[in-house]
Amino acid sequence: MVFQRRSGILLHPTSLSGTPGIGTLGRCAYSFVDWLVSAGQSLWQVLPLGPTGYGDSPYASFSTYAGNPLLIDLEYLVEKGRAEAVSILPPEYIRSEGPVDYGSVVWWKMPVLRQAALWFIKSGTVADKDAYHAFKEANSFWLDKYASFMTIKEYYDAAAQKKKLDGIWYRSWPEELAACNERALVEWNDSHILETEIVKTIQFFFFDQWHELKTYANRNGISIIGDIPIFVAPDSADVWSNQKLFLLDSHGVPVKVAGVPPDYFSATGQLWGNPLYNWDAMKKNGYEWWIRRIMHILSMVDYLRIDHFRGFEAYWSVPYGEKTAVKGKWMSGPGKDLFEALKKSAGQDLPVIAEDLGLITDEVIKLRTYCGFPGMKVLQFAFDPVEAKHNGMVNSFLPHMYNSDCIVYTGTHDNDTLQGWLESVPVRQLRLVASYMTGTDINAARAVELMKTGDLRRKMITAAFASTAAFTVIPMQDILGVGHEGRMNTPSTTGANWTWRMDKKLPGKCESEKLAIISDLYGRNISGKQH
């Protein structure tokens, strides 16, 4: 697929400000779309949109299909007659600015959404009910099991917490429910009709708001880049309802789990803990699970970034129960067989971006090239002074080394912000960055000055726009010049991740005009409005 030269911003909806507790799909999101247009941008990249659990990571969702209820805008529910105005008033501890406090937001907002769902079930209009039934029918292939999973989980999580036990389904649920036994599920659903209907109604609210927002964005020339992790969370409806498609034992416990091997950055590797796919079983049914997953997400977005693409060529398999990733081994993935099935089902080339960072072999590059997917370049990875001294400026992440078969970022959700990174690198490395960006031999004092004024950050953004990469995508924190406090995620840590929100106001006219100018100068300001 040909990726037309474009540019845009990476900003997860949770980071929007001006709404109680967390960013939503309401007015703040529409205002952001308007700002993108004023800044000459045509791409909005988001993180995965699913419901999050422990750790609040969008990459560890209870479902690869469902939407995050916390993103639902309550004011829009009232405007559509789906909730009472008095019911959505936030308590004093819920603020419209500052970092997201997920615990407080969940404690307040989920009961409000359940109340709105009850209101809708009892008092919704005929037209709304018709739309709701159409939504349920179109999404029954995942929605029914998701609603069952979430209601069973809520019940048995509470029981597990009282006993101070792990609430994951294969440890704390009754055997037949944990096995996703159809008879047991029918009995459960029959006795929890209202509870499952509330879960489905909340999903209807999310998807209705998301599709209206996406339609608005598309009409204004903004395409949405979505994101999914290659693996899914162990505590998810995906694993529970498709146990034969994962490497699990007879009780649903993972046999092997995902991670990455030891490397320069970690002597013990990274142990992610996601259950691995049973690729033989998936191949036997024509990769139906993957086809449904990809096509569902592509119905929500215009482009799709797949995290850890290299796992389709080979993945690191670690025996379940290991404390580190050291004792894992490489196993062959499905390779091009999967993507041929996806392309055949879609009837066209897939608008996919391959996250090909990390330990990338020639075989991974060949697979990505075969699939026709652009890879990723990250400017923060480009400046190794030791490598530059011995090998010259030939790092593949340097802009002069690109071809058009890539997407360039100043950083990703897993990196420090660009300004934070520049403030933390050794002076030797900072000099290399400054010299490259200015085309002159910059001394230490001048490099520090360029960093402190923000000029070096702005030059790096301009270099990304000027590069030959098909897309340029800049995290909003880098546009604003936010420091370490704006970092979205620090891998292998918990606590303060995913919480950053913008200040109440969007970037001003000055920032939008500068972005529009460099977009024009480097051929990225396209007109994509739909009339």
Side-chain angles (χ1 to χ4, degrees), residues 208-433:
D208 184 63
Q209 290 191 3
W210 174 257
H211 285 300
E212 285 192 358
L213 175 61
K214 180 178 180 295
T215 297
Y216 181 81
N218 289 166
R219 285 177 178 169
N220 283 278
I222 307 299
S223 298
I224 307 291
I225 302 177
D227 194 344
I228 61 168
I230 183 175
F231 300 115
V232 293
D235 194 15
S236 67
D238 310 300
V239 178
W240 168 71
S241 63
N242 296 280
Q243 295 179 40
K244 293 182 179 180
L245 299 180
F246 295 84
L247 297 180
L248 312 175
D249 68 15
S250 59
H251 300 290
V253 180
V255 176
K256 307 282 187 179
V257 295
V260 290
D263 57 18
Y264 175 80
F265 299 101
S266 173
T268 58
Q270 294 181 40
L271 185 63
W272 296 339
N274 307 81
L276 294 173
Y277 298 111
N278 183 339
W279 285 116
D280 289 338
M282 287 194 161
K283 183 174 183 177
K284 286 180 180 178
N285 74 353
Y287 301 104
E288 180 183 2
W289 185 88
W290 268 99
I291 291 170
R292 280 186 163 181
R293 183 187 189 193
I294 296 295
M295 298 315 295
H296 172 77
I297 302 297
L298 286 176
S299 73
M300 298 173 63
V301 299
D302 301 294
Y303 299 91
L304 178 60
R305 190 194 87 118
I306 301 181
D307 198 47
H308 197 62
F309 177 82
R310 72 102 57 243
F312 293 113
E313 195 282 322
Y315 55 90
W316 191 245
S317 173
V318 184
Y320 179 74
E322 290 292 324
K323 301 300 182 184
T324 73
V326 170
K327 294 184 179 179
K329 64 178 181 178
W330 288 109
M331 301 293 292
S332 296
K336 62 184 181 181
D337 194 42
L338 167 63
F339 294 100
E340 286 174 348
L342 284 165
K343 182 177 179 179
K344 182 178 179 181
S345 178
Q348 60 184 13
D349 291 333
L350 298 170
V352 165
I353 298 165
E355 186 272 287
D356 56 349
L357 307 175
L359 180 61
I360 302 303
T361 63
D362 289 342
E363 289 75 18
V364 177
I365 296 171
K366 288 177 182 178
L367 176 61
R368 182 182 64 75
T369 303
Y370 175 84
C371 294
F373 302 155
M376 288 177 56
K377 302 294 183 183
V378 178
L379 281 184
Q380 290 187 32
F381 297 162
F383 301 95
D384 183 336
V386 175
E387 178 188 75
K389 180 179 179 180
H390 294 288
N391 302 318
M393 298 298 282
V394 294
N395 185 300
S396 64
F397 291 100
L398 288 164
H400 73 270
M401 297 295 292
Y402 303 168
N403 55 33
S404 61
D405 189 25
C406 65
I407 315 298
V408 60
Y409 299 79
T410 46
T412 74
H413 61 274
D414 282 336
N415 296 109
D416 198 349
T417 65
L418 187 56
Q419 186 63 30
W421 177 77
L422 288 169
E423 291 171 359
S424 64
V425 298
V427 172
R428 183 183 180 189
Q429 190 171 6
L430 188 66
R431 284 188 62 196
L432 181 64
V433 177

Side-chain angles (χ1 to χ4, degrees), residues 167-238:
I168 198 165
W169 56 271
Y170 54 75
R171 289 202 183 105
S172 61
W173 294 12
E175 184 176 348
E176 287 195 331
L177 286 176
C180 201
N181 177 276
E182 286 298 331
R183 181 187 57 78
L185 280 184
V186 169
E187 291 179 1
W188 176 270
N189 291 333
D190 285 346
S191 59
H192 295 80
I193 293 173
L194 183 58
E195 291 94 328
T196 56
E197 204 67 17
I198 287 172
V199 173
K200 294 177 183 180
T201 300
I202 291 173
Q203 285 301 303
F204 170 68
F205 291 162
F206 172 88
F207 279 93
D208 184 63
Q209 290 191 3
W210 174 257
H211 285 300
E212 285 192 358
L213 175 61
K214 180 178 180 295
T215 297
Y216 181 81
N218 289 166
R219 285 177 178 169
N220 283 278
I222 307 299
S223 298
I224 307 291
I225 302 177
D227 194 344
I228 61 168
I230 183 175
F231 300 115
V232 293
D235 194 15
S236 67
D238 310 300

